[in-house]
Amino acid sequence: MKEFVRFLPPIHELQKHSNLSKIVHTYDLSEESVIELVKAELDKIRTGILSGTFQGSEPSKSFFIETLFNRVEVEAANMTEFYLRKVINGTGTVLHTNLGRARLNEAAIEKMIEVAKNYSNLEYNITTGTRGSRHDVIEELIKRVTGAEAAMVVNNNAAAVFLILNALGKGSEVIVSRGQLVEIGGSFRVSSIMEESGAILKEVGTTNKTHMSDYELAINENTSMIMKVHTSNFKTIGFTKTVETEELVKITQKHDHLIFYEDLGSGVLYDFAKHGIGDEPVVRDVIKLGVDLVSFSGDKLLGGPQAGIIAGKKELISQLKKHQLARVLRVDKITLAALEATLHCYGKTEEKVREIPTVKDIIEDTNIIRNKVDCFCSMVKNASPQLAVFIKEDFSQVGGGTMPDVQLPTVVVEITHPVKSSHELAKQLRDHSPSIVCRIKQEKIILDFRTISEEDIPLIVRAFNQI
Ligand SMILES: *Cc1c(COP(=O)(O)O)cnc(C)c1O
């Protein structure tokens, strides 16, 4: 076997081979990077021969050249493929954190392209022709939709919490109810972020009950803040007591320099509760109660890009804006463009608000979901008659760690293959381009059409057909 090594073509010969320039042109790769791939594959083949793992009975120079360039081509194709790409969400979970949370509205996408392609007035005041602030891009709009005195935007809500605690609570005590020391998505813990920020956590109450007096007794001369955290991803039921925002505002106002900050988690600008969906407080109503600061995510129920929005009292917001961390945590022009366009929909007509895919998907009428299901079923039964396809009523989740107790009635399709297991089928759907992610329940594939758009139906039919 080892003598096969002498059939290996020398690298200078491979460098001049026409297959190399073909790969360079097909994949738009630089010649240097393709030569690197050739060298790496040549090494692998040589090592394979010497260790006896290389499979091949009739080695000749041309055989090795062919094998080598075949392998280089596979590598070149992998190298030029995009890692981040479109996925069809067949889970029905509207804010799927693993699948990128909110989809953006058309206006937001257009605005992102506009500022990406062109120069913009990101930090330029067009009226005066002088330097402006990127906070100005969005502040008036947030004030309008939330009713707050002032506002700013940072990278995400976790960054907002960190900035507020570090800038206004470092070295002093911040009171939080034990029932609100939440963990969100595994990597965000209120207690840990508080420790990192330098603020001293003062826990009060118990897991299920915290009273007004618990807060009052905990306040001392070293207390800077009372913080309320939205228990986004769980509900406590039974023998429970939390102190309402209104009461916490009252306690705070009795003490000079004490700040009341509420981390709203998702923060809704649209009243989902009026559709009987959850009981999320609308940001405007929370601001009206007199809280000093609130913060919330841009890409949860708001339906915008990843961002953390801070709104509240002008004096506190200007302190936050001046803080060094504000520069560290600032957002880019593309985020601002998308957020501005999304926020523009709020405070307009109901139709405008429904242009935001997150809002639309959550309040979607089951009849519309059923129409998509019917369309898919008739197509798939034609294209892949061997599949067993059933229409079922089921429930979707809102997701993103929001509204954990809300079950949205939906229509799903249950699919089984005559020979393939549900896990095999799910794997093939994931490997399809575009990738399709579904639920598996009792050995059956479940596709929830709440989160599947009409344009994607033929793509899913084609995927099943190819399987
Ligand atoms: C989701 C959430 C966060 C983190 O928000 P990101 O925008 O994901 O950083 C913080 N606090 C609460 C209560 C949340 O629900």
Side-chain angles (χ1 to χ4, degrees):
M1 255 299 225
K2 285 183 184 158
E3 68 273 15
F4 291 174
V5 178
R6 66 195 161 87
F7 295 112
L8 285 179
I11 186 74
H12 63 84
E13 197 173 306
L14 292 167
Q15 281 181 10
K16 282 188 230 114
H17 200 279
S18 63
N19 281 0
L20 191 139
S21 53
K22 219 159 64 193
I23 292 170
V24 165
H25 286 116
T26 311
Y27 297 96
D28 277 334
L29 286 166
S30 70
E31 201 169 294
E32 291 79 10
S33 58
V34 181
I35 291 172
E36 285 301 314
L37 292 177
V38 169
K39 282 182 182 162
E41 289 308 321
L42 189 62
D43 269 351
K44 274 191 218 160
I45 295 176
R46 181 179 295 114
T47 315
I49 294 171
L50 294 175
S51 66
T53 51
F54 183 79
Q55 308 285 326
S57 50
E58 271 182 81
S60 64
K61 205 183 199 179
S62 60
F63 167 80
F64 279 124
I65 289 176
E66 197 188 318
T67 309
L68 185 125
F69 278 113
N70 282 344
R71 290 187 184 187
V72 169
E73 174 132 31
V74 170
E75 287 300 312
N78 282 339
M79 233 167 101
T80 45
E81 202 170 78
F82 282 92
Y83 180 88
L84 190 60
R85 53 188 191 245
K86 167 181 172 165
V87 164
I88 295 175
N89 176 7
T91 66
T93 302
V94 180
L95 293 170
H96 202 301
T97 300
N98 302 149
L99 304 183
R101 287 196 187 157
R103 292 191 293 130
L104 296 178
N105 57 91
E106 288 301 327
I109 294 159
E110 272 170 33
K111 277 288 163 191
M112 285 164 81
I113 294 171
E114 181 185 321
V115 302
K117 260 188 173 169
N118 301 286
Y119 293 107
S120 62
N121 58 339
L122 179 66
E123 290 188 355
Y124 181 74
N125 185 322
I126 291 176
T127 320
T128 58
T130 54
R131 191 198 162 100
S133 155
R134 72 176 64 209
H135 293 302
D136 298 343
V137 174
I138 207 97
E139 183 164 13
E140 285 308 312
L141 190 51
I142 300 174
K143 281 160 65 179
R144 203 158 70 224
V145 295
T146 63
E149 277 177 19
M152 67 186 288
V153 178
V154 289
N155 185 56
N156 55 10
N157 191 27
V161 174
F162 186 72
L163 171 63
I164 290 169
L165 291 174
N166 183 274
L168 307 171
K170 191 174 178 180
S172 59
E173 291 181 6
V174 175
I175 304 172
V176 186
S177 158
R178 284 204 170 82
Q180 295 168 4
L181 291 173
V182 299
E183 174 173 313
I184 315 273
S187 56
F188 176 88
R189 274 188 180 177
V190 173
S191 47
S192 313
I193 215 147
M194 180 97 64
E195 203 177 313
E196 288 294 331
S197 76
I200 303 155
L201 172 63
K202 177 88 178 177
E203 297 175 38
V204 294
T206 60
T207 307
N208 57 331
K209 281 200 170 199
T210 306
H211 301 276
M212 185 99 150
S213 56
D214 292 324
Y215 285 97
E216 280 170 327
L217 287 169
I219 297 171
N220 61 46
E221 66 281 2
N222 195 29
T223 309
S224 60
M225 196 185 299
I226 294 178
M227 179 184 183
K228 184 179 174 190
V229 184
H230 191 285
T231 55
S232 303
N233 51 8
F234 72 101
K235 287 269 165 188
T236 45
I237 52 162
F239 193 57
T240 62
K241 165 96 177 96
T242 51
V243 182
E244 297 298 328
T245 297
E246 245 167 315
E247 299 170 87
L248 291 173
V249 168
K250 268 189 220 145
I251 300 172
T252 313
Q253 284 171 349
K254 281 191 209 151
H255 301 265
D256 280 347
H257 310 299
L258 197 58
I259 299 164
F260 177 59
Y261 159 46
E262 184 160 348
D263 171 10
L264 288 170
S266 193
V268 301
L269 300 178
Y270 177 80
D271 193 7
F272 289 101
K274 80 177 177 204
H275 294 273
I277 299 169
D279 52 7
E280 285 292 315
V282 176
V283 176
R284 174 174 282 279
D285 295 338
V286 180
I287 295 280
K288 245 188 234 156
L289 297 175
V291 301
D292 296 310
L293 287 172
V294 296
S295 73
F296 49 97
S297 292
D299 59 350
K300 288 187 183 171
L301 293 166
L302 196 143
Q306 179 191 302
I309 297 162
I310 306 173
K313 298 273 157 70
K314 193 170 174 144
E315 188 202 321
L316 296 173
I317 298 285
S318 36
Q319 274 187 58
L320 293 174
K321 280 181 187 166
K322 281 187 216 123
H323 198 274
Q324 276 300 306
L325 269 178
R327 175 67 171 76
V328 175
L329 303 171
R330 80 177 186 186
V331 292
D332 76 323
K333 59 189 176 182
I334 297 176
T335 299
L336 285 171
L339 188 59
E340 185 184 18
T342 308
L343 291 173
H344 258 295
C345 299
Y346 289 102
K348 287 195 175 168
T349 57
E350 181 82 16
E351 288 70 43
K352 262 297 186 219
V353 182
R354 286 178 192 224
E355 281 177 15
I356 299 169
T358 303
V359 175
K360 180 177 178 290
D361 287 351
I362 292 171
I363 62 176
E364 192 70 292
D365 193 287
T366 43
N367 287 324
I368 293 180
I369 303 173
R370 190 179 295 276
N371 288 345
K372 289 191 276 187
V373 165
D374 289 342
C375 166
F376 169 76
C377 286
S378 62
M379 283 169 83
V380 85
K381 277 174 188 164
N382 261 326
S384 316
Q386 76 283 15
L387 295 173
V389 180
F390 293 102
I391 300 174
K392 288 254 167 91
E393 284 181 1
D394 202 342
F395 296 97
S396 339
Q397 302 281 310
V398 178
T402 69
M403 303 195 197
D405 55 341
V406 169
Q407 299 260 62
L408 302 168
T410 190
V411 188
V412 304
V413 180
E414 216 182 68
I415 300 170
T416 45
H417 190 275
V419 285
K420 285 182 179 156
S421 76
S422 58
H423 288 275
E424 250 178 285
L425 211 53
K427 166 93 175 87
Q428 285 187 301
L429 288 172
R430 287 201 306 276
D431 288 341
H432 183 262
S433 177
S435 188
I436 302 161
V437 180
C438 59
R439 282 192 259 153
I440 294 177
K441 200 160 120 188
Q442 293 160 349
E443 271 304 300
K444 290 181 184 93
I445 292 281
I446 308 276
L447 285 174
D448 184 340
F449 279 72
R450 175 182 298 279
T451 47
I452 295 172
S453 60
E454 239 161 276
E455 306 93 78
D456 287 339
I457 293 174
L459 301 178
I460 305 173
V461 172
R462 194 187 64 195
F464 276 108
N465 188 249
Q466 285 169 3
I467 291 168

